């Protein structure tokens, strides 16, 4: 396959120049990045963030490389992309949509969440529950996942802006995900950003792969919960979290 030839070229180029970032100019950037991630043992599953491997301008190159690949898919589906006016340009639209929108959380670094100190005498010690709208995509079928995450923390030594909870949740969601994984990912990233040990994430979502195909269940709803620290061990904290969610659901704009 062309891929292995490309890897050899990359290796040769890297050896000659003594720099593993060089020598890929003639090769596909996608091949080069895959090579580097495999070499480093870096996982690059649909739900993984690979922004550390990308440089300025790489996304545009990757979109250019993905466009003919999507053209091949359309051709394989026997869609006349030359004469069908609605299918002209679809391959490029798909390439851009994957990189810039529905999977953007794989390629962009974590949102900047400036932390503010919460260590004065009148520090906030209560529970904070934020409702975040989510749009994601299942990695099994590439069908849309749509729902809401409720993120609860007991404030620790620092606080982040309220909109940052949703930015972090969306950054985790804009990938190919499983809802179970997504719940864990959001909990981990919120923990990193806030330093809170006591936290909970509850997601309620509908899945295109259950609605548009397969069982065609139009009202299916999937719920997942991750609880850590006192949210897990203290029934009072757990109840307060779920009571907050119920109140949010009652007052949230439908
Ligand atoms: Zn699915």
């Amino acid at each position: 396959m062309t891929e292995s030839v490309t890897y050899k070229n990359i290796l040769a180029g890297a050896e000659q120049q003594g720099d593993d970032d060089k020598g890929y100019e003639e090769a596909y950037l996608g091949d080069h990045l895959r090579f580097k991630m495999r070499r480093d043992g870096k996982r690059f599953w649909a739900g993984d963030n690979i922004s550390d491997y990308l440089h300025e301008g790489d996304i545009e190159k990757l979109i250019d490389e993905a466009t003919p690949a999507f053209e091949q898919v359309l051709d394989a589906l026997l869609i006349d992309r030359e004469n069908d006016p609605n299918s002209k340009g679809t391959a490029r639209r798909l390439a851009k949509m994957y990189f810039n929108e529905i999977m953007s959380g794989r390629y962009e670094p974590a949102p900047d969440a400036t932390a503010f100190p919460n260590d004065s005498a009148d520090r906030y010690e209560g529970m904070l529950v934020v409702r975040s709208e989510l749009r994601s995509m299942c990695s099994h079928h590439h069908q849309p996942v749509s729902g809401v995450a409720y993120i609860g923390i007991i404030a620790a030594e620092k606080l982040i802006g309220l909109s940052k909870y949703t930015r972090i949740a969306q950054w985790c969601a804009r990938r190919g995900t499983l809802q179970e994984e997504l719940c864990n990912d959001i909990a981990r990233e919120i923990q990193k950003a806030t330093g809170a040990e006591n936290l909970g994430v509850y997601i309620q979502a509908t899945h295109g792969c259950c609605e548009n195909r397969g069982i065609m269940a139009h009202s299916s709803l999937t719920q997942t919960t991750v609880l850590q620290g006192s949210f897990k061990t203290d029934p009072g904290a757990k109840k307060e979290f779920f009571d907050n969610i119920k109140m949010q659901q009652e007052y949230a704009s439908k």
Side-chain angles (χ1 to χ4, degrees), residues 33-52:
L33 295 173
R34 256 193 306 280
F35 165 78
K36 283 178 75 175
M37 291 189 285
R38 283 191 181 127
R39 180 198 61 193
D40 298 351
K42 157 73 183 163
R43 205 177 76 167
F44 52 103
W45 294 2
D48 291 330
N49 182 278
I50 58 166
S51 59
D52 282 351

Side-chain angles (χ1 to χ4, degrees), residues 1-253:
M1 282 288 292
T2 49
E3 202 174 82
S4 58
V5 172
T6 310
Y7 287 165
K8 272 185 211 153
N9 292 346
I10 293 163
L11 277 171
E15 273 166 26
Q16 273 169 19
Q17 298 176 43
D19 179 348
D20 62 17
D21 271 312
K22 296 209 176 109
Y24 71 86
E25 261 72 37
E26 281 100 349
Y28 281 102
L29 175 59
D31 287 346
H32 175 65
L33 295 173
R34 256 193 306 280
F35 165 78
K36 283 178 75 175
M37 291 189 285
R38 283 191 181 127
R39 180 198 61 193
D40 298 351
K42 157 73 183 163
R43 205 177 76 167
F44 52 103
W45 294 2
D48 291 330
N49 182 278
I50 58 166
S51 59
D52 282 351
Y53 284 80
L54 297 173
H55 298 98
E56 179 121 20
D58 281 358
I59 292 294
E60 286 67 31
K61 273 188 218 162
L62 291 168
I63 289 171
D64 287 344
E65 290 177 8
T67 299
F70 278 117
E71 283 172 354
Q72 277 191 13
V73 172
L74 294 171
D75 290 348
L77 292 169
L78 303 175
I79 293 170
D80 183 353
R81 59 185 173 81
E82 265 126 58
N83 295 301
D84 173 359
N86 299 316
S87 299
K88 268 186 197 169
T90 292
R92 188 156 190 86
R93 275 192 290 276
L94 283 170
K96 285 170 84 171
M97 179 182 75
Y98 269 85
F99 281 101
N100 294 335
E101 295 170 301
I102 57 179
M103 279 200 162
S104 58
R106 301 189 70 230
Y107 311 107
E108 290 169 1
D112 186 27
T114 312
F116 303 97
N118 182 43
D119 51 9
S120 60
D122 59 348
R123 65 190 293 269
Y124 181 71
E125 292 178 318
M127 186 179 290
L128 183 86
V129 181
V130 176
R131 179 183 194 273
S132 301
E133 300 276 344
L134 285 186
R135 293 288 179 275
S136 190
M137 185 185 83
C138 84
S139 48
H140 291 154
H141 303 93
H142 288 207
Q143 284 289 300
V145 175
S146 171
V148 188
Y150 295 90
I151 302 164
I153 65 162
I154 307 280
E157 303 280 287
K158 53 186 182 176
L159 293 173
I160 57 171
L162 291 178
S163 66
K164 302 301 182 191
Y165 293 90
T166 301
R167 285 200 196 285
I168 290 169
Q170 272 293 1
W171 175 67
C172 294
R174 294 308 243 176
R175 306 175 192 187
T177 63
L178 288 191
Q179 189 174 322
E180 298 90 328
E181 265 175 18
L182 179 57
C183 217
N184 280 331
D185 290 351
I186 294 174
R188 185 187 62 245
E189 295 301 329
I190 294 292
Q191 202 280 325
K192 264 195 230 170
T194 61
E197 300 293 336
N198 306 305
L199 63 93
V201 177
Y202 167 78
I203 300 178
Q204 205 175 54
T206 58
H207 290 247
C209 61
C210 297
E211 292 186 336
N212 308 328
R213 54 162 297 287
I215 57 166
M216 306 275 267
H218 291 286
S219 58
S220 72
L221 193 61
T222 305
Q223 311 186 87
T224 46
T225 311
V226 170
L227 300 172
Q228 288 172 8
S230 64
F231 282 61
K232 194 173 183 173
T233 55
D234 173 5
K238 184 175 173 180
K239 184 176 185 307
E240 189 182 339
F241 179 49
F242 283 102
D243 284 349
N244 265 284
I245 292 171
K246 274 183 216 140
M247 278 191 275
Q248 294 237 21
Q249 287 177 333
E250 220 169 289
Y251 295 112
S253 51

